Amino acid sequence: MGLTLTKAADWLDNSKLDFSPSNQIILTDILKAVDGYSKNNPIGGKMKFSEPLVWDSTLKFEDFKKTERFPETESENTLQLDELLTVTKQESEVAHVECHSFDMLQLVLDACRSKKTAEVRACLEGNSDPVSKILGNRYACNTEDDVEFYKQAEEDLQGEDITYEEFETKKVVLKMAMEFHNLDVRMLRSVQGLMSKDSRLSPRLVEAEFDCLKELSGSEDEQPLRDIEPVPCYVHVFSNGYRAPNFRQLQGDIAYFLVYLKDTDVICVTAGTKGWFVNKGYSKDTNDVDFERRSDLYGSLFALLRERSRHFRERTSRKSGDGETAADEAADGAEKPDQEGDADQQAAREEAEERKKDPTLRWVSLGTSEQQSQERRSARQPQSAAAAAQQSDESDSESGTDEEEDAVERRHESNADLPSEYWQIGKFVRYLKGGNQTSTIISLCALRDFQLNTEVCQLAIRDVGGLEVLLNLLETEENRCKIGSLKILKEISQNPQIRRAIADLGGLQTLVNILKEPSKDLKCLAAETIANVAKFRRARRIVRQHGGIRKLVSLLDCPALNGPTSPEIERDIEVARCGALALWSLSNSTKNKRAMKRAGVIPLLGKLLKSRHEDMLIPVVGTLQECASEPDYRVAIRTEGMVEDLVKNLKSDNAELQMHCASTIFKCAEEEETRDLVRSYDGLEPMCSMSSKNIRKFQELNVIEKLVRLLSDQPEEVLVNVVGALGEMAAEKENRHAIRKAGGIGPLVQLLTGTNQALLVNTTRAVGRCAQEKENMAIIDRMDGVRLLWSLLKNPNPEVQASAAYAICPCIDNVNDAGEMVRSYVGGLELIVHLLRSDNIKVLAAICAAVASIAKDEENLAVLTDHGVIPLLAGLTRTQDEELKRHLSEAIACCCAWGNNRIVFGKEGAVAPLVSYLRVKDPKVHRSTARALHELSRHPDNCITMHECGVVRHLLGLVGSDDEALQLAASGCIANIRRLAMANEKSRQSSKARGGGNGGANGKAVAAK
Amino acid sequence: MSKILLFSEFLLSLEPIIVLHISMDVSAKTAISKLAESLHKQTNFTKKECEHLLHMYRELAGADDVKLDRSKFKDILHCSFGMTDAMMIDHVFRAFDTDFDSSISQEEWLKGMSTFLRGTLDEKTQFAFRAYDLNSNGMISREEIFQLLKATLIKQPVEEDPDEGVRDLVEIVFKKFDTQKKGVIDYAQFKAMVAEEPLLLQALGPCLPDEKSADAFLCTFEELHLPTTISYIKTGSQR
């Protein structure tokens, strides 16, 4: 009965019960239950209350004395019985009662004779929450959910190591609690009708009235008030709809408003659950409100203002023609939308409201045209539905965003323009109701033939009462009926209004129960339907409270995932998929995430993540994505080895899957170790290169800025990863600019002075990639970054050497006056040439790349040549490494430009191996090789060697390539060979030498001369 | 499930003793064993399961060389499978009785039970079609559907024409199955529609046992537990 007392009963402000009809009903009900309780339940009657009920009786002390049950005592002012009932005399004969059991309560009631109700009233006024006093605090249950209650009961009885006696007492307590609970429900029902008439203020009502007044305010004389606004310090609306700060919410305050009246000045009013009143005002200096009450309580702000302001009274009452006061109408107006919002089925009630609406409309239209007010009204309807939903969620503090709170309610006003589907669907629903299972199945199948994905059909099913029937079918024993019904529910629950209706009808409880069924088909369909319905907060909460999460998690346990399939295994996989879908929807709220973790979802998700099926992976990764906002999950994702799978799926073709994976990894990347893992699985590259959309996403998330900020004052291990990430991101042009704009270049260059090898490798790579942009290069140059890179070539670690050499290339390419810069490094070129003697392939390749870049400056090329670079390069041509081949041929191509280097290459035997490079598959090797051959072919000796090696065939193939540079080089090379042949032809004609043969042979002849 | 299996094995192990001592001589037992041996390949049962069913058949028939007649068969459907509709029981009997001799032989019994309890969707479709084809002419007509459906709706006394709802249902069913507008439903159409929507397998009345009673019946003697073969949803490969 706690709920009835706190919510339904009308309390006056001095914590007395009002003499209202609803209170009377409650009192008689309670009396009926208590009076005679101990006779019917001897054990319960004897049980001692957890705390005594204490109140001032309506009876005089003398009256108690007269009853002969009390034993003789010495004290004049105290009567005591078995230490269970104590009556003390107080001033003016008032008897103070302290009662410990129902037996004693009965005794008191008996003493009252005809004034029992009055006594109950006094008792309740003394003990506002009697249930908690009787049974203990844990039963002070104000929750509206039965389940909470049963859960408690279950916990109570399940406790281990309790003795038999304890168990028995607990049973008694539970029984009593159950009875109280039932009483509560009964009473709530009986006062429900009365409650709908006048209820206490709720945030919804307050906001509605505020909106209403806001619309009416203005400077014109017509308008009743100048302005109304929330008090500046409490403008924010909390998730429960209150504006008042938490500590005042406890006192029942809802919001504070400043009302600017026309005739009197500003007043500051408080909206509390008890009513509206004027407080001591808002002070600008302290920016706070003095909460103390300074006026009477009013049922509505209208009533208050009418009392306060004559102007307001005059302006508001003039329009309201009939007897009803404006205040009442306003209250109606505030209540009205709510009832439209939730009472779909109660057409009768709606009709009653319809009649009331008229004066309200007239009222609202004040100052504006009738038309506008209509529009406003219709615009406000969905809002109020949202408010209603929110109110019911008050107790729940979930983080989930509710995309659906503003579901627009569209209803057909009249029957005239109903589409034909309505009638047909109505007919089938009738057959569903009035038939055996055969006709039910037929009707279900017929319903499935409608376009269930259209809103018309979805709403038609709801409006003809089909949802109730479909949900009813789920509680039958007929599997086929359940399956048919679920198939329809699954489809129509894609509509937000249907979802809400299903939740309102208690459908989620049924759906959760179906998950227990042995039939896999049922499990699948129920889980899928839950996945659809649980898109809004209240639904998710209901599923959790009914233990749906554990059941859904257990669906994920799928024994054979990627093995050979059979119909049976496919059904198992389908079950797991549907379970994952449902969990995906549910994982939108924090409490659910925790519940899922407790149910052991993590290892199961980890297992499913190894699946090959995309339609399985999407819900699984989607769930992980939602859950990764919790630190526990992030750790688990790392330790369960899911990062590898996530990275693997990044490379999938499915954009949706990629997106979810990337987002999950992003959330997880807050963890240091995860970042490491991602990198070690090569996850960064696909992530960065995925699509421009993702890059935008990264930019939106300001990843780069965050990373750059991390560059300073971090331990080296962190830096390694941060710089690594930046390096990978710098592969994209846009990101390179972003790094500069975030001021990342400077810190990066500074890091080049470090000693940590891993860090140096990453830093050089990052700097190298950044240097591809001229603007970036300017900064690097200013900070003398190239010199730092150059000095790293002396680093003993070959990886650092290679990486530094690679970084130098773009620097040289992009800096102004590169030649001068390179020459300014004393011994720099000598160092480069020296490194060509390294035995590390990677270093060699990198140095070759650097040589190619350096050699573009003629003077430097001359110096390199003097240092003997040519024989060294030629000596390297026998390599098998493709990377080296590519950079080497590039270097050779560049070095040919000086002096007789071409000839030296030929003499050193570099040409023949180069030709063989054309046989490898890598097109990049082809390109640089073709360039080198083109340069070399300018000398006849080389041409001859090439021809002997059969180069023409390869080159002809390359001429057909798509790569223009390659085409050019290849055709240039052929042209040179051909020119040589022509020259030979000419000389043959002039010298009458022995002719014939091909160009190559003739070339030889020319060369021989 | 393993408990049930153990229990059934236990029952099976007792079988010979009970049978020998109570009602059956050795020769009858070997005859059953032989028959089971020859027939079990044509059913979805193992040899032992067949033997058990044949023993059951003999018990029900009451004596050797007596065939199961209509009334005894009705009793089984009624008691073991919870089928109460007398009309439908008749139809099921006809579907069992493939040689139309108004009694069910041992072979018909085994094959019928095989479909009944463990049939694939195809087998069950065939079975249902036989049950619904009242005059056994290979086609289901509107009149037959009307006969089958006429008791499915609760009669509303206020309505002018009490059969209107039924006729409506008949039309729905007919429109659904007669995709080629032949005026009758032949087996091909029936099968195609059921394959698309397995819920329609028993669209014209429950001619097969529900899963629970089938499981209950099976678990008294089954050697191996097979999953239900009919899937009402589309899984991975079918999509």
Side-chain angles (χ1 to χ4, degrees):
Chain A
M1 59 194 180
L3 196 60
T4 319
L5 284 176
T6 47
K7 297 247 162 124
D10 299 338
W11 293 91
L12 291 178
D13 42 325
N14 50 359
S15 70
K16 296 280 176 209
L17 279 166
D18 199 353
F19 284 91
S20 68
S22 60
N23 281 359
Q24 214 57 40
I25 292 175
I26 294 171
L27 287 176
T28 28
D29 277 352
I30 293 179
L31 178 63
K32 247 188 258 166
V34 174
D35 199 2
Y37 181 87
S38 59
K39 259 180 239 148
N40 301 334
N41 305 280
I43 306 170
K46 286 200 182 56
M47 197 199 68
K48 196 173 174 194
F49 292 168
S50 155
E51 270 178 70
L53 295 174
V54 183
W55 74 97
D56 290 338
S57 172
T58 50
L59 296 178
K60 300 271 162 45
F61 184 70
E62 295 304 317
D63 296 328
F64 280 103
K65 234 177 172 179
K66 274 183 231 156
T67 55
E68 288 161 14
R69 298 283 303 274
F70 293 96
E72 288 295 320
T73 45
E74 315 82 41
S75 166
E76 263 296 287
N77 295 338
T78 318
L79 291 171
Q80 215 174 12
L81 183 63
D82 300 344
E83 294 187 332
L84 289 176
L85 179 65
T86 319
V87 184
T88 25
K89 183 178 171 183
Q90 289 184 330
E91 296 154 7
S92 63
E93 291 296 299
V94 173
H96 183 76
V97 184
E98 208 175 306
C99 177
H100 288 269
S101 78
F102 272 113
D103 282 345
M104 297 302 132
L105 206 56
Q106 185 68 46
L107 207 108
V108 177
L109 284 177
D110 287 343
C112 298
R113 295 195 189 87
S114 62
K115 295 198 298 185
K116 283 178 183 170
T117 331
E119 187 67 20
V120 172
R121 176 190 293 274
C123 176
L124 291 178
E125 278 168 2
N127 308 282
S128 56
D129 194 354
V131 182
S132 71
K133 283 203 166 174
I134 293 171
L135 299 174
N137 273 331
R138 61 171 309 167
Y139 289 97
C141 93
N142 287 330
T143 48
E144 281 154 72
D145 247 322
D146 297 19
V147 185
E148 207 64 46
F149 174 77
Y150 290 122
K151 250 198 316 217
Q152 264 180 20
E154 206 172 270
E155 274 169 29
D156 264 6
L157 290 179
Q158 269 174 357
E160 282 170 16
D161 58 56
I162 49 168
T163 61
Y164 180 72
E165 284 84 356
E166 273 171 354
F167 186 74
E168 282 304 302
T169 18
K170 274 196 172 156
K171 255 169 67 178
V172 175
V173 170
L174 272 181
K175 185 162 171 272
M176 219 178 265
M178 202 88 90
E179 280 162 350
F180 280 136
H181 187 75
N182 291 339
L183 174 64
D184 212 0
V185 173
R186 269 208 310 281
M187 289 195 298
L188 274 177
R189 276 207 195 113
S190 55
V191 295
Q192 193 184 26
L194 291 157
M195 268 175 76
S196 65
K197 185 82 183 143
D198 48 1
S199 68
R200 303 169 80 202
L201 279 185
S202 66
R204 185 167 41 87
L205 289 175
V206 170
E207 291 298 326
E209 205 169 355
F210 166 62
D211 287 346
C212 198
L213 277 171
K214 187 86 190 166
E215 283 167 13
L216 293 172
S217 59
S219 52
E220 275 159 50
D221 191 53
E222 271 302 282
Q223 288 155 328
L225 72 164
R226 261 192 300 142
D227 202 356
I228 176 167
E229 57 177 19
V231 170
C233 50
Y234 300 119
V235 176
H236 174 70
V237 182
F238 291 94
S239 59
N240 57 4
Y242 284 65
R243 287 180 199 262
N246 286 337
F247 67 96
R248 288 302 300 178
Q249 285 183 23
L250 289 177
Q251 317 278 328
D253 287 4
I254 294 170
Y256 313 98
F257 296 102
L258 288 173
V259 186
Y260 301 88
L261 291 167
K262 290 259 158 100
D263 39 7
T264 54
D265 49 4
V266 191
I267 54 170
C268 185
V269 292
T270 302
T273 44
K274 295 166 193 157
W276 294 83
F277 58 83
V278 179
N279 55 37
K280 277 200 169 164
Y282 166 72
S283 145
K284 265 193 189 139
D285 301 336
T286 57
N287 192 26
D288 208 338
V289 176
D290 192 338
F291 302 107
E292 219 174 301
R293 210 174 94 187
R294 248 182 45 188
S295 75
D296 287 335
L297 275 171
Y298 294 90
S300 70
L301 184 53
F302 287 87
L304 187 148
L305 294 179
R306 278 165 62 82
E307 199 67 34
R308 286 262 152 181
S309 155
R310 230 186 72 206
H311 184 86
F312 188 87
R313 187 164 58 237
E314 280 167 9
R315 291 292 174 274
T316 53
S317 54
R318 194 168 56 193
K319 294 268 170 160
S320 105
D322 52 18
E324 277 191 79
T325 64
D328 289 345
E329 285 159 21
D332 278 350
E335 236 169 38
K336 180 70 182 68
D338 162 49
Q339 295 189 346
E340 268 184 2
D342 61 13
D344 285 347
Q345 317 87 354
Q346 304 180 11
R349 215 168 108 196
E350 236 168 28
E351 249 173 50
E353 288 294 326
E354 207 68 37
R355 260 178 275 121
K356 270 196 215 159
K357 201 153 114 186
D358 296 349
T360 321
L361 275 177
R362 216 174 311 144
W363 203 90
V364 174
S365 70
L366 187 115
T368 57
S369 74
E370 186 83 22
Q371 180 99 36
Q372 276 173 325
S373 81
Q374 287 277 16
E375 278 166 19
R376 246 193 332 253
R377 166 159 290 274
S378 56
R380 230 171 53 202
Q381 251 173 306
Q383 228 178 17
S384 70
Q390 209 159 19
Q391 200 199 12
S392 67
D393 267 10
E394 262 169 32
S395 57
D396 208 331
S397 59
E398 289 179 354
S399 66
T401 49
D402 240 322
E403 57 290 340
E404 289 197 356
E405 300 280 50
D406 47 339
V408 182
E409 179 80 358
R410 250 172 285 154
R411 308 215 55 189
H412 292 275
E413 294 297 334
S414 68
N415 286 346
D417 55 348
L418 287 179
S420 64
E421 282 96 339
Y422 263 71
W423 303 114
Q424 291 186 21
I425 288 177
K427 192 175 71 185
F428 289 130
V429 169
R430 216 166 51 239
Y431 292 150
L432 273 185
K433 279 192 227 169
N436 67 4
Q437 52 150 313
T438 306
S439 64
T440 304
I441 298 274
I442 295 173
S443 312
L444 286 172
C445 290
L447 276 176
R448 290 240 295 142
D449 286 344
F450 284 93
Q451 297 274 311
L452 290 178
N453 50 3
T454 61
E455 196 176 26
V456 179
C457 292
Q458 289 161 349
L459 295 187
I461 291 179
R462 182 193 67 179
D463 293 347
V464 300
L467 279 182
E468 287 88 337
V469 185
L470 289 173
L471 291 173
N472 254 335
L473 282 176
L474 297 185
E475 296 179 28
T476 61
E477 288 291 306
E478 282 298 328
N479 268 8
R480 285 178 303 132
C481 291
K482 287 194 219 176
I483 287 168
S485 164
L486 280 173
K487 280 183 169 181
I488 294 174
L489 285 172
K490 185 184 92 179
E491 293 293 328
I492 61 175
S493 56
Q494 283 162 10
N495 180 316
Q497 295 176 47
I498 300 285
R499 288 173 200 157
R500 213 161 272 283
I502 291 177
D504 288 340
L505 292 168
L508 282 167
Q509 287 88 324
T510 323
L511 286 170
V512 169
N513 283 337
I514 288 181
L515 295 176
K516 281 191 295 208
E517 295 273 343
S519 159
K520 287 170 190 164
D521 298 343
L522 279 177
K523 280 182 191 166
C524 280
L525 291 166
E528 258 185 289
T529 315
I530 291 178
N532 280 343
V533 177
K535 292 268 161 65
F536 63 105
R537 191 157 49 174
R538 184 160 53 96
R540 292 195 284 267
R541 196 186 54 192
I542 295 174
V543 174
R544 180 181 71 240
Q545 285 172 345
H546 287 77
I549 289 188
R550 182 158 301 154
K551 290 186 192 118
L552 284 169
V553 169
S554 64
L555 295 191
L556 298 186
D557 199 358
C558 175
L561 203 56
N562 285 333
T565 56
S566 73
E568 201 50 29
I569 291 171
E570 270 179 14
R571 274 159 100 184
D572 281 333
I573 294 175
E574 184 69 11
V575 169
R577 189 185 74 89
C578 295
L581 267 178
L583 288 174
W584 186 11
S585 293
L586 288 167
S587 58
N588 212 332
S589 47
T590 322
K591 282 187 185 168
N592 284 355
K593 285 176 203 164
R594 289 190 204 126
M596 280 158 62
K597 193 176 63 122
R598 277 200 298 277
V601 76
I602 295 170
L604 291 171
L605 284 178
K607 223 174 102 192
L608 292 180
L609 200 56
K610 303 213 182 294
S611 161
R612 287 191 302 253
H613 311 284
E614 267 171 16
D615 45 356
M616 168 74 92
L617 284 169
I618 290 175
V620 168
V621 179
T623 313
L624 281 175
Q625 179 195 350
E626 291 288 349
C627 291
S629 59
E630 297 282 300
D632 290 351
Y633 277 95
R634 289 201 291 269
V635 173
I637 285 173
R638 189 185 72 232
T639 51
E640 295 275 328
M642 294 189 219
V643 176
E644 184 181 1
D645 295 311
L646 285 172
V647 170
K648 197 180 74 203
N649 288 324
L650 271 182
K651 292 160 190 160
S652 137
D653 295 332
N654 186 316
E656 195 186 354
L657 181 56
Q658 278 187 345
M659 194 183 77
H660 292 308
C661 280
S663 180
T664 314
I665 293 177
F666 170 69
K667 281 183 180 171
C668 291
E670 274 180 40
E671 308 270 327
E672 189 51 52
E673 293 89 334
T674 311
R675 286 206 286 271
D676 246 349
L677 280 175
V678 173
R679 212 159 44 81
S680 65
Y681 291 125
D682 292 332
L684 286 166
E685 241 169 291
M687 233 193 315
C688 298
S689 61
M690 240 181 324
S691 66
S692 57
K693 199 169 123 204
N694 281 341
I695 291 168
R696 255 205 305 287
K697 177 92 180 162
F698 271 118
Q699 279 163 351
E700 270 167 34
L701 295 166
N702 289 334
V703 176
I704 290 179
E705 273 94 301
K706 280 179 196 148
L707 286 172
V708 167
R709 230 174 295 140
L710 284 174
L711 280 179
S712 47
D713 303 330
Q714 291 284 337
E716 277 187 346
E717 302 86 74
V718 182
L719 283 174
V720 171
N721 290 305
V722 173
V723 175
L726 279 174
E728 292 300 339
M729 303 193 80
E732 287 292 327
K733 192 180 169 75
E734 289 181 42
N735 288 344
R736 292 198 286 267
H737 286 297
I739 292 176
R740 182 184 71 248
K741 281 175 194 145
I745 308 274
L748 278 176
V749 174
Q750 271 164 11
L751 285 175
L752 290 175
T753 56
T755 49
N756 183 316
Q757 310 286 338
L759 180 55
L760 283 174
V761 171
N762 280 352
T763 314
T764 44
R765 183 167 53 194
V767 171
R769 286 200 169 148
C770 286
Q772 287 171 20
E773 299 302 319
K774 273 221 153 41
E775 293 97 326
N776 293 358
M777 193 51 223
I779 303 174
I780 296 174
D781 189 27
R782 205 160 50 235
M783 299 187 67
D784 219 358
V786 187
R787 184 186 296 278
L788 290 171
L789 285 173
W790 215 284
S791 63
L792 286 176
L793 293 177
K794 290 185 211 151
N795 193 295
N797 186 330
E799 269 193 61
V800 178
Q801 287 176 346
S803 175
Y806 274 130
I808 286 172
C809 304
C811 292
I812 295 174
D813 291 344
N814 285 315
V815 77
N816 298 327
D817 199 10
E820 192 51 46
M821 182 186 77
V822 172
R823 276 193 296 282
S824 70
Y825 304 137
V826 178
L829 293 172
E830 200 178 346
L831 178 64
I832 295 273
V833 176
H834 175 74
L835 280 174
L836 282 176
R837 296 195 175 90
S838 164
D839 44 12
N840 186 305
I841 297 276
K842 278 186 184 167
V843 176
L844 287 173
I847 295 294
C848 283
V851 167
S853 289
I854 296 167
K856 280 172 190 154
D857 182 88
E858 215 170 41
E859 235 171 290
N860 287 334
L861 176 55
V863 179
L864 283 176
T865 314
D866 289 349
H867 283 302
V869 77
I870 307 301
L872 283 171
L873 288 176
L876 290 174
T877 48
R878 302 274 165 207
T879 180
Q880 293 303 316
D881 185 78
E882 293 201 4
E883 185 79 6
L884 179 53
K885 281 180 183 172
R886 179 174 136 216
H887 292 298
L888 178 59
S889 42
E890 192 70 39
I892 291 176
C894 291
C895 289
C896 285
W898 178 252
N900 59 351
N901 281 354
R902 280 191 197 93
I903 304 165
V904 180
F905 276 125
K907 279 186 187 151
E908 295 283 342
V911 177
L914 273 178
V915 172
S916 74
Y917 289 2
L918 292 178
R919 280 187 213 118
V920 301
K921 289 208 175 69
D922 189 356
K924 284 178 187 158
V925 177
H926 291 170
R927 190 191 326 183
S928 51
T929 310
R931 265 197 67 195
L933 288 176
H934 181 212
E935 290 293 334
L936 291 171
S937 67
R938 288 168 199 239
H939 191 268
D941 275 349
N942 292 342
C943 281
I944 294 161
T945 323
M946 278 177 217
H947 194 271
E948 277 172 351
C949 297
V951 78
V952 179
R953 194 158 44 90
H954 290 301
L955 285 175
L956 282 175
L958 292 177
V959 170
S961 146
D962 295 334
D963 186 341
E964 274 186 27
L966 177 54
Q967 270 181 14
L968 201 69
S971 52
C973 189
I974 294 174
N976 282 339
I977 296 174
R978 184 72 199 145
R979 219 170 281 137
L980 182 62
M982 296 289 280
N984 174 52
E985 191 73 11
K986 248 184 219 161
S987 73
R988 186 178 60 94
Q989 278 172 6
S990 60
S991 67
K992 310 271 189 224
R994 195 163 44 89
N998 58 29
N1002 296 341
K1004 209 174 190 174
V1006 172
K1009 279 182 184 171
Chain B
M1 194 41 70
S2 62
K3 264 185 194 165
I4 297 173
L5 270 177
L6 278 178
F7 181 64
S8 61
E9 267 173 29
F10 171 63
L11 280 183
L12 285 171
S13 68
L14 284 183
E15 189 81 33
I17 308 166
I18 299 169
V19 170
L20 274 178
H21 282 90
I22 297 171
S23 62
M24 200 179 284
D25 53 54
V26 183
S27 66
K29 197 175 165 289
T30 36
I32 281 178
S33 180
K34 252 189 198 161
L35 193 59
E37 179 68 50
S38 66
L39 280 178
H40 82 268
K41 289 257 166 59
Q42 300 174 36
T43 68
N44 298 324
F45 294 118
T46 63
K47 181 171 173 262
K48 258 194 175 168
E49 286 166 348
C50 280
E51 276 178 28
H52 187 95
L53 278 169
L54 288 172
H55 281 298
M56 196 186 282
Y57 177 90
R58 200 197 156 280
E59 292 278 308
L60 293 164
D64 299 340
D65 310 326
V66 176
K67 282 191 175 179
L68 210 56
D69 63 17
R70 194 176 286 258
S71 73
K72 280 171 189 158
F73 185 72
K74 273 183 183 174
D75 287 346
I76 306 167
L77 288 185
H78 194 104
C79 303
S80 300
F81 298 109
M83 290 189 164
T84 46
D85 181 1
M87 298 274 284
M88 193 40 78
I89 289 179
D90 264 347
H91 304 325
V92 173
F93 181 81
R94 213 186 43 254
F96 263 76
D97 181 18
T98 42
D99 59 2
F100 308 110
D101 64 349
S102 285
S103 62
I104 289 171
S105 69
Q106 286 174 317
E107 189 178 340
E108 284 168 351
W109 165 257
L110 280 184
K111 287 182 178 168
M113 276 297 164
S114 162
T115 307
F116 218 48
L117 298 170
R118 281 193 179 153
T120 61
L121 186 60
D122 275 358
E123 288 168 350
K124 286 188 172 171
T125 312
Q126 237 166 34
F127 183 90
F129 191 82
R130 278 209 304 277
Y132 296 148
D133 182 11
L134 301 186
N135 55 10
S136 302
N137 66 347
M139 282 178 284
I140 303 178
S141 65
R142 272 197 172 75
E143 289 68 39
E144 282 168 316
I145 298 178
F146 186 83
Q147 281 299 317
L148 287 160
L149 293 182
K150 69 180 174 193
T152 57
L153 283 178
I154 298 161
K155 294 261 161 55
Q156 308 279 338
V158 283
E159 276 172 34
E160 292 159 16
D161 182 2
D163 283 340
E164 194 193 319
V166 179
R167 271 204 287 279
D168 218 9
L169 282 182
V170 172
E171 274 321 300
I172 298 167
V173 172
F174 213 81
K175 254 200 335 233
K176 248 197 126 66
F177 280 108
D178 187 17
T179 43
Q180 295 158 14
K181 305 271 182 295
K182 289 183 178 173
V184 283
I185 302 173
D186 59 16
Y187 179 65
Q189 287 182 334
F190 186 78
K191 191 180 163 188
M193 202 61 219
V194 170
E196 196 185 308
E197 175 54 275
L199 279 178
L200 286 170
L201 172 59
Q202 300 184 64
L204 304 176
C207 57
L208 292 164
D210 65 89
E211 281 162 31
K212 275 180 194 143
S213 48
D215 274 347
F217 187 81
L218 265 172
C219 79
T220 56
F221 65 90
E222 68 182 352
E223 266 196 316
L224 69 167
H225 184 74
L226 300 175
T228 44
T229 45
I230 297 181
S231 170
Y232 293 105
I233 54 169
K234 302 242 186 292
T235 54
S237 64
Q238 292 158 0
R239 250 171 308 180

